[in-house]
Amino acid sequence: GDSVTQMEGPVTLSEEAFLTINCTYTATGYPSLFWYVQYPGEGLQLLLKATKADDKGSNKGFEATYRKETTSFHLEKGSVQVSDSAVYFCALLNTGNQFYFGTGTSLTVIP
Amino acid sequence: DTGVSQDPRHKITKRGQNVTFRCDPISEHNRLYWYRQTLGQGPEFLTYFQNEAQLEKSRLLSDRFSAERPKGSFSTLEIQRTEQGDSAMYLCASSFTAGKDEQYFGPGTRLTVT
């Protein structure tokens, strides 16, 4: 079945460090890929998305590129801030209009 | 529109009782989804509606669970004869039309079964 596997956390970084959170997926056909973020005490919010191979999603300094050849959608940010501390979820929307989420990666950024 | 809303935000119930949750989606969205999220896990799909039609149900949705969306607007999720294993955050999300559009999530209803 379809699934998403993402890097286990928790991840702790110093402010201005480079962030990578790995995400790989298994799906038939051509899913859309998403990163959602959940800040403490809040609901899930869409961070970025990509709908076809080689698309790059970007928002708030975060980027992820849809790589069909490696079935990956890794999240990156060049310089993290304390305000980026949250849980990040990788997700796919398959051709049957069902979403599958990864288990989430907790990020803590320390000043 | 202020987004997807869910009510109640928290529910504590005793094992064996029935509970019902409500979700109000973004008004122009015709798709509505229910998920369950347990601690340390991502959301798990339960079911979704397109307008008033329930189009898909996960095998996680046992016969104690039922969801409705009678007029294609708000939706309810009922759990009968609750069990401790039902303790989780229940999330609702909505989206506009089919295809590649993202979902907008509500804040969730946290259920605790004692």
Side-chain angles (χ1 to χ4, degrees), chain B residues 10-21 34-39 44 46 59-66 77-91 109-114:
Chain B
H10 304 274
K11 178 71 176 178
I12 299 173
T13 191
K14 292 184 178 179
R15 188 163 49 103
Q17 297 296 305
N18 299 342
V19 293
T20 300
F21 309 140
W34 285 99
Y35 294 87
R36 183 175 67 187
Q37 185 179 20
T38 54
L39 196 62
E44 296 174 292
L46 293 177
R59 64 182 181 278
L60 294 175
L61 211 67
S62 76
D63 57 5
R64 295 185 298 106
F65 288 68
S66 62
L77 177 69
E78 181 183 16
I79 309 174
Q80 296 182 327
R81 306 181 303 281
T82 52
E83 302 172 356
Q84 287 189 322
D86 297 331
S87 296
M89 178 75 85
Y90 289 85
L91 299 172
T109 294
R110 181 167 294 285
L111 173 65
T112 302
V113 182
T114 62

Side-chain angles (χ1 to χ4, degrees), chain A residues 73-87:
Chain A
F73 193 55
H74 304 320
L75 183 68
E76 296 182 337
K77 186 174 186 182
S79 175
V80 294
Q81 306 300 312
V82 172
S83 57
D84 294 327
S85 299
V87 181

Side-chain angles (χ1 to χ4, degrees), chain A residues 30-32 34 36 38 41 43-44 46 49 51 89 93 96-99 101-103, chain B residues 31 33 35 37 40-43 45 48 56 91 98-103 105-107:
Chain A
Y30 299 90
S32 294
F34 303 81
Y36 279 84
Q38 189 169 31
L44 284 124
L46 178 68
K49 67 176 183 179
T51 59
F89 293 91
L93 174 63
N97 288 307
Q98 287 194 12
F99 267 84
F101 286 82
T103 55
Chain B
R31 287 202 166 198
Y33 298 76
Y35 294 87
Q37 185 179 20
Q41 299 297 316
F45 169 80
Y48 87 86
E56 194 76 33
L91 299 172
K100 314 290 189 181
D101 203 7
E102 65 267 21
Q103 298 183 337
F105 281 84

Side-chain angles (χ1 to χ4, degrees), chain A residues 48-107:
Chain A
L48 54 84
K49 67 176 183 179
T51 59
K52 59 183 188 297
D54 301 324
D55 267 3
K56 178 185 282 188
S58 61
N59 186 26
K60 299 181 181 179
F62 291 88
E63 292 183 341
T65 301
Y66 188 144
R67 301 285 188 201
K68 189 158 181 65
E69 64 275 14
T70 55
T71 62
S72 65
F73 193 55
H74 304 320
L75 183 68
E76 296 182 337
K77 186 174 186 182
S79 175
V80 294
Q81 306 300 312
V82 172
S83 57
D84 294 327
S85 299
V87 181
Y88 292 82
F89 293 91
C90 185
L92 72 82
L93 174 63
N94 68 11
T95 53
N97 288 307
Q98 287 194 12
F99 267 84
Y100 291 85
F101 286 82
T103 55
T105 302
S106 174
L107 170 67

